[in-house]
Amino acid sequence: MIGERGWHKAGWLLLFLLPGVGGLLIFTVLPILASFVLAFFSWDLLTPPQFVGVKNFADIFHDKEFWAALRHTLLFIAGYVPLVVVCGLCMALAMNAALRGIGILRTLFFFPVVSSWVAVALLWSWLFNPKYGLVNYLLSLVGIPGPGWLFDPNWAMPAIILTSVWKDLGFVLVLFLAGLQSIPVDYGEAAALDGAGRIAQFRHVTLPLLAPTTFFVLIISLINSFQVFDQVWVMTEGGPAGATTVLVERIVRHAFSYGEMGYAAALSWVLFFLVFAATLVQFRVQRMGNFDV
Amino acid sequence: MSSRLWPSLLRYAALITGGLLMIIPFWWMLVTSIKPPGSVLTVPPELFPRQPTLESYQRVFATVPIGRMFFNSLVMTVVSVACQIATSAMAAYAFARMQWRGRNVVFLLYIATLMVPSQVTITPLFILMQRLGWVDTYPGLIAPSIVSAFGVFLLRQAMLSVPREYEEAAVLDGATHWTIFRHVVLPMIGPALATLGVFATMSTWNSFLWPLFVTRDERLMTLPVGLALLHGRYTTEWSMVMAGAIISVVPIILVYLAAQRAFVRGVALSGLK
């Protein structure tokens, strides 16, 4: 296109590419490769690294705490994903038809989204305080004795789930709104003309046409929730009594509290594998359910 | 008539409930932070502070270097965002508008790295920072976030849809790549640049895991890490903790209010948090 040959072209290319690609190589590609190699070693940063082959991975397989963290992570996903998707969709549906004031509402829904997880986690730690928190107070007003939330092994994860749903609702809402607004109004009208009631309209027109958006929201939510960390670290640090340990929390612990860099690297690859597998499964399921994705 | 009214009522009820659920916790955060420390732990909770005071804010400033932490967050965010936009725009131009061997392969590399969770790179990055002596330093804090694969992705997409006629006209006038980049392409992808800027600002200001790893000294910590530290030290002093939370949340909310459309578009486009 632009008259350029040899050195001249190489010079321009270098100028444009070097910062971006250079940075990517140093801070992403190389660490990824290094992490892969590291997973086959045992290293505490003080003594020289020792090659241990697949021992780290074998240890993970036999590690009770790993399986517990996996269970808790899956529990989080099972609670968080459906809740945030359903609530987000309901809000989007409600907002899509309303005409006045939705700008203000959407702004409000975004406050949690732009706030940091730490601030939100601390806020909800306070709200969920069993004795002095607002949640239990409001529950007591309707005669329900509130549980120990973050201090109760059975209620800590639900508290974390609710906090996470609250924070991400605005995000899911915006995605669904965008999806809803791209559905032509005529489809619904045509269905109404054929005698379809609101619910039938929703089931047979809206929902199917929303499928790509729903799929996108599910994938993103799934990938993100496998990596849940900030709120867990701040609200419970994996407690009480290890009831809310999650995969990334395990990685951080092994890297920093136990000084087991190789084990932590191996764990992070197991995490990658799980996320990858889950995403693949979702793509398969999507393809099975749709004929024209 | 009533069958028309009912869904509407339900809808507005749901919206009002949702709105309240979003705003009440923030209001409670504020209220708690301006209560006198002693009156926070009451049963039932005092819904309106009878004696509002800024005492907790003063105590926050006195016990952790929160001003310094604010500054650290600011520096980290401004430098990271500026670098991300610059490096991503330039790389995106190379992918979108320059022909070279291996272009597709390298771009696939970008996509591949997007699939790998950040936790995989964190351990080696920390080791690298340690070897470089960059733990507890600004370079150590900022370096990993000066490039953005997502940014390259986004901007390349935007550049691809800039009509070629403009560039062709510029070439006829004897323009170099840099001239085209700066004066033709960049001005035309304004919204995408804003989107990237907003997204990068939000995620850098709020980032927790990496700053947690790489800073040990309080004076290098960013706001989220400092806030967690504050909570760790004063676990039950909720008026202080909430004051710290307000300090960390207000700036980003103000930025959000000022650039709302760009934010919403950015989040919807990225799908990443």
Side-chain angles (χ1 to χ4, degrees):
Chain A
M1 187 178 85
I2 299 182
E4 44 187 46
R5 319 162 207 128
W7 287 114
H8 210 218
K9 177 171 181 175
W12 279 118
L13 202 61
L14 226 59
L15 171 72
F16 278 98
L17 274 187
L18 202 61
V21 176
L24 188 81
L25 282 174
I26 301 175
F27 296 115
T28 310
V29 175
L30 243 52
I32 291 179
L33 295 173
S35 175
F36 188 70
V37 171
L38 188 58
F40 297 101
F41 281 78
S42 171
W43 195 9
D44 60 2
L45 289 185
L46 300 167
T47 61
Q50 283 183 313
F51 182 72
V52 291
V54 293
K55 180 171 181 295
N56 283 331
F57 292 97
D59 285 344
I60 291 175
F61 192 73
H62 291 111
D63 187 357
K64 263 189 304 181
E65 288 176 344
F66 163 73
W67 290 106
L70 180 59
R71 244 187 356 256
H72 301 148
T73 308
L74 291 174
L75 187 63
F76 175 79
I77 295 173
Y80 164 80
V81 175
L83 208 54
V84 85
V85 169
V86 168
C87 291
L89 181 58
C90 288
M91 277 296 141
L93 285 168
M95 243 185 237
N96 195 34
L99 294 163
R100 273 167 300 200
I102 67 163
I104 302 176
L105 262 178
R106 204 173 50 190
T107 305
L108 283 181
F109 270 93
F110 244 63
F111 278 13
V113 176
V114 302
S115 309
S116 75
W117 275 108
V118 179
V120 168
L122 288 175
L123 170 62
W124 281 92
S125 295
W126 171 226
L127 286 169
F128 277 125
N129 189 293
K131 241 168 124 187
Y132 308 105
L134 202 55
V135 172
N136 277 1
Y137 172 64
L138 293 174
L139 284 176
S140 72
L141 289 180
V142 287
I144 306 176
W149 293 117
L150 297 172
F151 298 95
D152 182 338
N154 293 322
W155 288 96
M157 192 49 98
I160 294 176
I161 290 174
L162 289 172
T163 305
S164 310
V165 170
W166 181 82
K167 185 174 192 305
D168 289 338
L169 198 60
F171 170 73
V172 172
L173 170 71
V174 158
L175 290 174
F176 272 127
L177 264 179
L180 282 175
Q181 275 159 8
S182 65
I183 296 178
V185 195
D186 334 325
Y187 285 40
E189 286 174 358
L193 279 175
D194 285 344
R198 292 189 105 83
I199 300 191
Q201 261 184 59
F202 177 68
R203 269 181 61 205
H204 299 287
V205 178
T206 316
L207 217 48
L209 284 173
L210 207 52
T213 310
T214 312
F215 178 63
F216 182 67
V217 170
L218 280 173
I219 289 250
I220 295 297
S221 300
L222 194 68
I223 294 178
N224 281 326
S225 50
F226 259 107
Q227 301 170 31
V228 64
F229 173 72
D230 295 14
Q231 62 271 48
V232 171
W233 189 259
V234 170
M235 290 175 98
T236 60
E237 278 193 49
T244 56
T245 60
V246 290
L247 292 173
V248 177
E249 179 265 340
R250 285 286 97 198
I251 295 174
V252 172
R253 280 266 182 242
H254 280 277
F256 288 106
S257 306
Y258 309 153
E260 297 166 1
M261 293 286 161
Y263 194 77
L267 272 175
S268 68
W269 282 104
V270 172
L271 173 67
F272 167 69
F273 170 72
L274 287 169
V275 173
F276 194 69
T279 312
L280 263 166
V281 168
Q282 250 197 297
F283 268 92
R284 280 294 142 77
V285 170
Q286 164 79 346
R287 202 167 299 166
M288 285 196 302
N290 273 16
F291 298 113
D292 52 356
V293 149
Chain B
M1 180 59 184
S2 65
S3 69
R4 281 276 214 84
L5 196 57
W6 185 227
S8 265
L9 272 179
L10 209 59
R11 176 174 298 134
Y12 278 101
L15 288 176
I16 292 179
T17 311
L20 285 175
L21 275 173
M22 290 296 124
I23 199 68
I24 287 181
F26 280 101
W27 170 77
W28 190 239
M29 195 197 288
L30 185 63
V31 162
T32 306
S33 72
I34 56 179
K35 279 183 185 171
S39 74
V40 168
L41 300 178
T42 59
V43 178
E46 211 178 80
L47 292 174
F48 290 96
R50 249 168 290 166
Q51 305 164 293
T53 166
L54 289 180
E55 185 187 332
S56 299
Y57 288 89
Q58 288 170 329
R59 289 189 64 208
V60 168
F61 276 94
T63 51
V64 292
I66 203 121
R68 186 65 195 264
M69 292 170 175
F70 185 94
F71 175 73
N72 295 337
S73 281
L74 197 63
V75 166
M76 181 182 178
T77 303
V78 167
V79 174
S80 296
V81 172
C83 286
Q84 278 186 32
I85 294 183
T87 61
S88 301
M90 293 202 291
Y93 182 79
F95 284 113
R97 283 290 179 260
M98 292 172 82
Q99 312 285 346
W100 43 288
R101 253 187 328 178
R103 187 177 69 171
N104 286 340
V105 171
V106 178
F107 191 63
L108 267 170
L109 187 68
Y110 266 91
I111 299 185
T113 63
L114 279 175
M115 287 204 301
V116 178
S118 64
Q119 294 85 13
V120 167
T121 54
I122 269 192
T123 316
L125 270 177
F126 178 74
I127 296 175
L128 176 68
M129 294 303 154
Q130 236 220 4
R131 289 291 176 264
L132 285 173
W134 279 6
V135 175
D136 263 334
T137 64
Y138 282 113
L141 186 62
I142 299 175
S145 36
I146 57 173
V147 289
S148 164
F150 167 72
V152 172
F153 208 69
L154 185 73
L155 294 183
R156 171 184 175 271
Q157 211 57 26
M159 288 184 186
L160 283 176
S161 49
V162 171
R164 287 204 178 252
E165 293 87 56
Y166 292 99
E167 292 166 59
E168 280 159 16
V171 170
L172 285 173
D173 286 343
T176 62
H177 271 305
W178 182 257
T179 319
I180 298 180
F181 172 69
R182 254 211 76 203
H183 298 284
V184 178
V185 175
L186 270 190
M188 294 207 69
I189 58 167
L193 288 174
T195 300
L196 177 62
V198 144
F199 172 77
T201 302
M202 191 172 99
S203 68
T204 319
W205 182 265
N206 291 336
S207 75
F208 183 60
L209 189 54
W210 176 248
L212 181 70
F213 263 47
V214 87
T215 59
R216 301 290 147 90
D217 188 344
E218 277 171 41
R219 287 164 301 167
L220 258 300
M221 289 182 178
T222 56
L223 271 179
V225 181
L227 189 55
L229 181 78
L230 183 70
H231 175 243
R233 277 196 200 149
Y234 299 96
T235 317
T236 53
E237 309 229 19
W238 287 107
S239 59
M240 268 182 81
V241 175
M242 287 298 108
I246 292 270
I247 293 173
S248 103
V249 152
V250 163
I252 194 69
I253 287 193
L254 288 177
V255 171
Y256 164 60
L257 289 174
Q260 261 184 69
R261 235 180 313 156
F263 256 97
V264 173
R265 191 177 46 217
V267 169
L269 268 178
S270 74
L272 301 164
K273 281 185 284 171

